[in-house]
Amino acid sequence: MSTLELEGVSKDFGQGFAVQDLDLRVESGESVVLLGPSGCGKTTTLRMIAGFETPTAGRIAIGEREVVGARTNVPPEGRGIGMVFQSYALWPHLTVAENVAFGLTTTEGRKRLRRNRSEIATSVERALDQVQLAGYGARYPHELSGGQQQRVALARALVVDPEVLLLDEPLSNLDTRLREEMRNEIRRLQLESGITMVYITHDRSEALGLADRIVCLDAGRIQQIDPPERMYRRPATRFVARTLGQANALDLTVEEVGAATITARLQGADLVRLDAADAPDACPGDRLPVCVRPVDVLLDFDDPRTNANVRSRSFLGDETHYVIDFDGVDEPVRAIDRRATHHPAGSRLRLSVDETRISVLTGELEERRVDALV
Ligand SMILES: Nc1ncnc2c1ncn2[C@@H]1O[C@H](COP(=O)(O)OP(=O)(O)O)[C@@H](O)[C@H]1O
Ligand SMILES: [Mg+2]
């Protein structure tokens, strides 16, 4: 178990930066998930940590040891890394036990562990036990389900007692139910073994379920680093908000600025109060970009002071989804009603938002401030 530190890490394959100026410190025993759309630089980052790719600039340290920097470049097998890929990458002609032992048979692996044959067998058994595959050692990969094959890949990564475990979209090839099961399993394993883990995915439920902290990436750059609940509740930009779930990006107009509270209005809806600390430079008349989750949009079909119109409604069992046109606003608002309401397209209503659930998009305010300066 080690810390992992990336400082100013960049990678340019020759067509611009795939990863740009990444700073990240992962604590010992921490689970960090890099989350972002396809092509945002997740795999490149992981491959640089593992040593399969050399950064164009920057420094990476595992524990106290620099593994890549201005004058160092430790080869992958010397970095103390365990890695799991989306494709299980198992040898079809080797048994499960031989596949797992493969992690120990590299020169470096043996050197690190100084193990003889019976010790290898013990380690393999223990690793298979960890992933709940005790007794499967003599089988071949084709005799296992996809989920079991991925467990073998996980055991092979764990058998070397890695300093850091790296996983690249390991569940993408599994069906939904298995994916959820394996996700819980990986989290249990990580918590029990206290291993330092970097997990990459484009799937928000994996990120929310597995991470102590999520790193949200867009086009090779870090957008935000926060624990799951905080990132979900307080996204800095609409990109982060939408990466973690459905979100409405709305504009509020600031009416009054007090020492502790800002009062603002959402078009014809009620006044809302916000924490002044979220928008320290706000002045009356300013537009404030905020995010509101669809479940926090409140719909009142009985209030005669209507300010919105139902565009469409879909009944989904546990919830009803509405697309609402707010009077005078181009972009529709999405709302999720947990009550079974049945208001067809064209129905008038009064829309408001739960003010305790409004999140100021502080990253976008910051961008505006920078734009204003240049
Ligand atoms: N070996 C490579 N040569 C050139 N470009 C690459 C290479 N590997 C990745 N890229 C580019 O770098 C960007 C990031 O890719 P990648 O790290 O695989 O993203 P992700 O894993 O988030 O989908 C993409 O634009 C991709 O095309
Ligand atoms: Mg990838």
Side-chain angles (χ1 to χ4, degrees):
M1 263 76 15
S2 275
T3 54
L4 166 70
E5 201 161 3
L6 285 78
E7 271 177 37
V9 171
S10 296
K11 180 70 187 180
D12 183 351
F13 288 106
Q15 305 117 321
F17 285 104
V19 172
Q20 199 171 357
D21 207 15
L22 220 79
D23 288 315
L24 174 67
R25 185 185 158 85
V26 182
E27 297 302 331
S28 178
E30 191 182 21
S31 162
V32 163
V33 175
L34 305 189
L35 173 68
S38 175
C40 73
K42 305 181 295 293
T43 296
T44 303
T45 304
L46 215 66
R47 288 173 56 82
M48 288 192 285
I49 299 171
F52 299 126
E53 211 74 75
T54 305
T56 311
R59 176 182 175 274
I60 300 176
I62 295 172
E64 297 299 302
R65 191 164 67 115
E66 181 173 285
V67 294
V68 64
R71 275 176 300 277
T72 26
N73 197 356
V74 177
E77 62 275 17
R79 294 193 181 191
I81 291 281
M83 189 141 176
V84 180
F85 305 90
Q86 176 179 345
S87 65
Y88 318 124
L90 301 177
W91 297 105
H93 61 289
L94 297 182
T95 64
V96 164
E98 287 164 348
N99 265 287
V100 174
F102 196 79
L104 291 168
T105 54
T106 62
T107 339
E108 282 285 340
R110 261 201 309 257
K111 218 189 310 173
R112 263 165 52 76
L113 296 152
R114 296 179 207 291
R115 283 184 176 155
N116 62 29
R117 215 170 255 277
S118 81
E119 277 172 324
I120 288 179
T122 312
S123 305
V124 168
E125 256 326 295
R126 200 184 49 138
L128 285 175
D129 202 35
Q130 266 184 302
V131 299
Q132 322 224 310
L133 279 183
Y136 282 74
R139 293 213 197 175
Y140 284 88
H142 74 267
E143 298 173 307
L144 302 177
S145 69
Q148 289 170 329
Q149 290 182 33
Q150 194 52 293
R151 282 169 200 263
V152 176
L154 194 55
R156 182 185 51 195
L158 289 170
V159 75
V160 293
D161 280 328
E163 308 281 352
V164 179
L165 180 63
L166 305 177
L167 303 100
D168 187 345
E169 312 230 15
L171 308 183
S172 303
N173 288 348
L174 305 177
D175 64 46
T176 315
R177 195 188 51 81
L178 244 167
R179 217 182 296 152
E180 202 176 313
E181 190 184 311
M182 279 299 284
R183 184 178 83 212
N184 296 334
E185 176 89 10
I186 290 172
R187 182 56 161 163
R188 178 192 62 80
L189 245 167
Q190 187 269 327
L191 287 170
E192 274 178 22
S193 61
I195 199 164
T196 310
M197 176 166 102
V198 179
Y199 185 108
I200 67 180
T201 183
H202 64 273
D203 180 303
R204 63 174 181 250
S205 26
E206 280 174 31
L208 291 167
L210 276 167
D212 291 315
R213 282 187 303 156
I214 298 174
V215 177
C216 187
L217 284 175
D218 181 25
R221 305 198 69 128
I222 294 180
Q223 298 295 304
Q224 189 171 352
I225 306 181
D226 261 316
E229 292 81 2
R230 180 158 177 92
M231 191 178 281
Y232 181 79
R233 281 281 154 236
R234 315 286 293 171
T237 62
R238 67 195 69 195
F239 175 84
V240 175
R242 289 180 176 150
T243 301
L244 287 193
Q246 280 195 55
N248 295 298
L250 303 169
D251 268 328
L252 300 180
T253 309
V254 176
E255 296 225 333
E256 256 182 72
V257 180
T261 350
I262 292 173
T263 312
R265 189 182 293 280
L266 174 62
Q267 296 290 335
D270 305 323
L271 286 171
V272 292
R273 279 158 307 162
L274 305 171
D275 192 342
D278 288 340
D281 299 336
C283 298
D286 282 357
R287 283 187 314 114
L288 268 191
V290 300
C291 146
V292 180
R293 298 279 174 202
V295 285
D296 301 319
V297 172
L298 307 175
L299 310 178
D300 189 339
F301 291 94
D302 299 323
D303 194 323
R305 300 167 303 153
T306 61
N307 60 9
N309 209 49
V310 173
R311 183 190 287 196
S312 67
R313 165 187 172 273
S314 350
F315 174 65
L316 295 174
D318 289 340
E319 39 196 45
T320 307
H321 290 204
Y322 284 99
V323 179
I324 309 249
D325 285 311
F326 203 9
D327 294 348
V329 179
D330 290 337
E331 201 171 333
V333 176
R334 289 171 195 282
I336 295 177
D337 201 344
R338 295 257 160 85
R339 306 163 299 173
T341 49
H342 303 273
H343 299 278
S347 304
R348 295 288 299 166
L349 70 144
R350 184 168 182 84
L351 181 150
S352 57
V353 288
D354 178 349
E355 67 177 8
T356 64
R357 298 293 201 173
I358 294 175
S359 177
V360 177
L361 297 170
T362 50
E364 295 189 9
L365 274 182
E366 188 58 37
E367 270 167 37
R368 254 191 228 172
R369 206 168 296 140
V370 172
D371 287 347
L373 290 175
V374 293

